[in-house]
Amino acid sequence: MPALPLPLSVICALACETALLPRVRMAIAVIAQEVFAEDPSTHGYPLRWNLAKTVLSPTEEQAASMMVGLVLSPGLLAAAAATGSTDSAVMAAAITDEQLLAAIRQGWNAVAGVGPIPAEMQEATT
């Protein structure tokens, strides 16, 4: 793993940034709606659907617990580091909605407990 672009203390402050929390809650709800619309044959669908059902109306605690993993996603880390600031509010403001949604999409399977797509399933879809 490459070196982190920001010190852990700065990343921790971003993960605790209260201005980012409402946006995370809304983004989680958006992705949950996307999962509900997926084809049931999607790899890991039952687990993905169950997570969506659980977090359709995410509590602050659920969103806060997801923030730790989200701020470590490459896109969010890059956006925060590009500000040149260590102020969590400044870094949070630099994160776009699309970056936030992409990070949640990217991490959904891991949070839901879905493992990688088995090779035989990948071959069947290509």
Side-chain angles (χ1 to χ4, degrees):
M1 180 172 160
L4 294 172
L6 297 165
L8 288 176
S9 60
V10 174
I11 296 170
C12 181
L14 180 59
C16 296
E17 177 53 48
T18 57
L20 189 56
L21 192 57
R23 291 177 59 210
V24 167
R25 289 180 70 189
M26 194 53 49
I28 290 169
V30 167
I31 303 307
Q33 291 293 337
E34 289 178 7
V35 171
F36 287 139
E38 288 177 348
D39 183 326
S41 66
T42 301
H43 173 69
Y45 183 75
L47 291 171
R48 293 174 54 76
W49 187 90
N50 191 51
L51 176 60
K53 179 182 64 130
T54 303
V55 299
L56 179 58
S57 182
T59 65
E60 280 195 36
E61 293 78 20
Q62 288 168 321
S65 69
M66 287 185 167
M67 290 258 290
V68 173
L70 287 174
V71 299
L72 287 172
S73 68
L76 271 57
L77 266 181
T83 66
S85 176
T86 58
D87 182 289
S88 60
V90 170
M91 292 185 295
I95 296 170
T96 68
D97 291 348
E98 280 308 311
Q99 289 169 321
L100 192 54
L101 290 166
I104 293 170
R105 283 185 192 107
Q106 179 183 357
W108 197 269
N109 278 354
V111 175
V114 177
I117 299 174
E120 59 274 6
M121 285 182 73
Q122 285 182 343
E123 292 168 9
T125 60
T126 57

